[in-house]
Amino acid sequence: GADEAVVDTDGKAHGRGVGLIQRLFQLHQAGDSDGIQAVLNEVDLRFVDPSQPPLPAVDVDEFGEDAPGGGGKPETNGGGGGMGGNDSDNGVARNLNEEFESLSVPPKGAPGADLVDFAERASMLGRQQHEIDAILEAAGHAKLARWKAIKATQRTRTRIALEKVQEKEVADESGASAIASELVPGGAAKSVTVANVGEYLELVLLWWLGHGVEAQADSFCDGLRDVLGTQGRDALLFNFSHSELRRMLCGKEEIQWREDDALLGFLVPMGDYTATSPSIQMLVEALKNMNMRERAQFLNFVTAQPRVPLSGLPQVKVYPPLLERISGLVLRAESPSERALFSVGDIVTLTPNYAEFDDATGGPLRPGETGMVSNVDGRIRVSGWWYSPGALQHLRGDASEGEDDDAPDEVALLPADWFRPGDWVRTAKARARIESWDAVTMTLKFHASTDVSVLRSFKSGQSIELVPPEATAEEEGGTEHAPVSLRRPPLRIARVVEQPQAVQMRPYLRPKATTCAKTLYLPTDYDSASHMLEVFKGAFSDAKLGGMNEN
């Protein structure tokens, strides 16, 4: 509805838009003929829809009384000129109707294939879904059988509808409907003057509020009928006003947060975020400070709909920024209390008093044998058998094992010698190669070639150890180390070192469009709520929905 103007070769501007019509209407109501003339001197108005692009001037004689079809208006049927096109189109329609009437409707109890065949042929002859359904219903067919036949032939009706649209577009491009928005026959050649401006304004209002939206209104009603049926459509249209319908179908225009709620009634912190996280609190304050337009933009950004559904605000999950990969681990020494606990991947053996536990005597482990913990759930699962914790003990380096009598000296190695570049470390679920080891910060970095899926298997709290040299001697060229159980104290992962995917200063959505709705990834590097609000405004204008903004 914004006013626009296109300057023609005659120096006049072909104006259009709501503002222009309002201006003319006010001048006409005031009886200001001079003002109307001044406007018409600036803008070349014809008896066509002023909201459409300006149409080329048409020679009056081009569509005079002697023109094909008469009436001063060219035919727009897309066929041949004059009445011949109408006769051709009417003849085709009559043939289709006659062919349809010759179709035999399957009787009640007919096989489903017969119903599908009827629905297919009826669709080919231009019948719509509701028409086919009504005919089959009148023949006594059950609702489910009708639905299956209609669903099986939906592709045919869609194809025919698309073909009609394409044909219309071709006709439009060829100029057959070049003056379809004329307010009167020959309106493209009829100029608006002070004398006929009243008639022009009346026709414009009639076109905008009547004839001009008739096709759209019919399509809207047809869509409701296809979804709700005739009775459902009528019940909806006859019992609700236009404003109520808009609210039901499009949602609420007023967007109000529940400001008495710490999370405004719809935010759900995820990951490491909580209701007290600074970024979440800044987000809440920023949302409160948004005006109505910005609130609609926010909803559109995270839910793909700018209004609030009748069911209320949808929950929006707010995550910390996406992280691309784990680049290393920060380790810590295992505490004495942790050594008495069991974790998946621990190597265990039976305790001397294992026989006191009934569930241990029937298990596969025998005294002196070792096994790996595969699950911990109150009891310990080893080699497919559940043991009581008291029946098992961790396998540790034992200085009394003959040839290893001098092993205690190895335990005293300095932390700097615990790992070397090229060593392999493992937990119960992952194994990776070391690129560097910092004994001061107890941080090891993984080799860049390590697969991301492997790195993500390392978790805080897991027990970690060096892979025995015999397990890597072949791929590492036989590098010799002291026995793994004696080179360092038992270690666990204190935390993982994560490398951000990109420097993020904008809120963004999950990269996959199929999972982006109602999921927001919110960075932590905001100075204040006002800073976050400004960043959001920039994101609203240039964010790519379903993608990543790496500015």
Side-chain angles (χ1 to χ4, degrees):
D3 290 340
E4 299 180 23
V6 178
V7 178
D8 205 348
T9 55
D10 59 2
K12 285 189 176 182
H14 295 269
R16 66 183 191 270
V18 176
L20 174 64
I21 299 303
Q22 288 178 334
R23 183 180 175 191
L24 280 177
F25 185 81
Q26 292 171 353
L27 293 172
H28 179 66
Q29 289 289 94
D32 188 353
S33 300
D34 294 337
I36 295 175
Q37 187 61 56
V39 172
L40 297 178
N41 289 338
E42 298 175 0
V43 181
D44 182 19
L45 284 180
R46 310 289 180 89
F47 274 69
V48 296
D49 179 7
S51 66
Q52 301 299 318
L55 299 175
V58 180
D59 189 350
V60 177
D61 295 335
E62 182 178 355
F63 300 114
E65 293 296 327
D66 297 332
K73 183 176 180 179
E75 297 301 328
T76 60
N77 295 306
M83 295 301 294
N86 288 333
D87 289 341
S88 176
D89 291 344
N90 293 336
V92 171
R94 283 195 297 270
N95 292 337
L96 291 177
N97 288 333
E98 292 173 0
E99 189 173 349
F100 175 74
E101 291 173 359
S102 67
L103 287 180
S104 59
V105 181
K108 183 177 180 180
D114 291 350
L115 271 66
V116 172
D117 181 65
F118 172 80
E120 178 73 16
R121 296 177 64 185
S123 300
M124 293 289 292
L125 296 173
R127 290 304 185 267
Q128 300 299 315
Q129 172 180 322
H130 66 279
E131 296 176 307
I132 300 172
D133 182 68
I135 293 171
L136 293 177
E137 182 180 13
H141 293 287
K143 184 175 182 180
L144 180 59
R146 303 197 310 269
W147 177 81
K148 289 182 178 180
I150 290 173
K151 182 176 178 61
T153 56
Q154 180 60 48
R155 186 186 298 271
T156 298
R157 291 187 295 278
T158 302
R159 175 178 56 80
I160 293 175
L162 289 175
E163 289 175 352
K164 291 181 178 180
V165 171
Q166 292 172 351
E167 291 174 359
K168 183 178 183 303
E169 290 176 348
V170 171
D172 290 345
E173 292 174 359
S174 66
S177 57
I179 52 177
S181 59
E182 287 182 318
L183 302 178
V184 295
K190 184 177 180 180
S191 297
V192 178
T193 65
V194 175
N196 62 21
V197 69
E199 176 191 3
Y200 170 75
L201 292 174
E202 291 180 2
L203 290 172
V204 168
L205 294 179
L206 180 62
W207 178 265
W208 281 357
L209 304 179
H211 303 311
V213 295
E214 185 176 359
Q216 296 93 317
D218 289 343
S219 297
F220 176 74
C221 293
D222 290 342
L224 289 179
R225 180 186 58 204
D226 288 343
V227 176
L228 304 175
T230 302
Q231 292 183 345
R233 178 203 62 185
D234 293 345
L236 194 66
L237 295 178
F238 296 156
N239 291 288
F240 296 95
S241 66
H242 68 278
S243 58
E244 292 171 330
L245 280 175
R246 183 175 64 247
R247 187 179 181 90
M248 291 172 61
L249 299 177
C250 303
K252 307 173 185 176
E253 295 184 7
E254 292 291 321
I255 302 173
Q256 300 295 338
W257 316 130
R258 285 178 48 192
E259 300 199 10
D260 59 329
D261 185 270
L263 297 172
L264 303 182
F266 73 102
L267 298 177
V268 182
M270 304 296 291
D272 295 333
Y273 277 158
T274 66
T276 58
S277 298
S279 292
I280 296 296
Q281 292 182 333
M282 288 183 190
L283 176 61
V284 170
E285 185 176 349
L287 289 173
K288 289 181 178 179
N289 294 334
M290 287 181 180
N291 58 37
M292 202 58 62
R293 180 173 180 271
E294 292 164 350
R295 293 185 180 193
Q297 289 176 325
F298 175 81
L299 287 182
N300 195 26
F301 184 74
V302 296
T303 69
Q305 53 185 15
R307 299 187 181 186
V308 181
L310 287 182
S311 57
L313 285 166
Q315 287 190 337
V316 175
K317 297 179 180 179
V318 185
Y319 287 86
L322 277 176
L323 298 171
E324 182 183 42
R325 65 191 305 269
I326 295 173
S327 59
L329 303 173
V330 177
L331 306 183
R332 60 177 174 80
E334 190 176 68
S335 66
S337 60
E338 287 178 318
R339 297 179 190 179
L341 301 176
F342 295 94
S343 300
V344 174
D346 289 350
I347 305 301
V348 297
T349 186
L350 293 174
T351 60
N353 62 336
Y354 78 94
E356 298 177 7
F357 302 91
D358 294 338
D359 55 4
T361 56
L365 284 183
R366 293 293 176 262
E369 295 180 349
T370 61
M372 178 179 288
V373 176
S374 60
N375 198 357
V376 178
D377 187 12
R379 295 190 299 167
I380 316 301
R381 188 173 180 84
V382 180
S383 301
W385 189 269
W386 289 98
Y387 290 88
S388 295
L392 299 175
Q393 61 182 355
H394 291 88
L395 181 65
R396 301 295 182 191
D398 190 347
S400 64
E401 295 182 3
E403 60 184 9
D404 293 333
D405 288 342
D406 58 344
D409 293 336
E410 297 289 337
V411 177
L413 288 175
L414 295 175
D417 297 324
W418 285 359
F419 302 102
R420 303 174 186 175
D423 282 348
W424 289 75
V425 294
R426 69 183 179 188
T427 64
K429 295 185 177 181
R431 174 176 123 153
R433 190 178 184 182
I434 298 174
E435 186 175 87
S436 65
W437 163 248
D438 186 343
V440 176
T441 60
M442 294 281 283
T443 301
L444 58 83
K445 295 288 186 180
F446 290 124
H447 197 275
S449 62
T450 308
D451 186 80
V452 173
S453 61
V454 173
L455 296 177
R456 290 197 175 278
S457 298
F458 289 96
K459 305 292 183 182
S460 299
Q462 290 178 336
S463 177
I464 190 170
E465 62 180 2
L466 186 72
V467 176
E470 59 270 18
T472 58
E474 182 176 348
E475 60 181 294
E476 297 298 324
T479 303
E480 295 183 359
H481 297 294
V484 63
S485 60
L486 302 178
R487 292 206 63 241
R488 65 202 51 73
L491 298 171
R492 288 185 180 266
I493 300 174
R495 63 182 178 86
V496 295
V497 179
E498 297 176 299
Q499 177 182 351
Q501 184 168 16
V503 178
Q504 296 289 341
M505 275 308 298
R506 295 193 188 280
Y508 56 97
L509 303 176
R510 187 186 295 269
K512 296 181 180 179
T514 54
T515 57
C516 73
K518 305 179 182 65
T519 302
L520 177 69
Y521 287 83
L522 189 68
T524 58
D525 303 327
Y526 295 109
D527 299 331
S528 62
S530 59
H531 176 214
M532 179 183 288
L533 179 56
E534 291 303 314
V535 173
F536 261 105
K537 292 178 181 179
F540 294 156
S541 63
D542 63 9
K544 299 177 182 177
L545 293 180
M548 190 74 71
N549 188 324
E550 299 184 356
N551 292 337

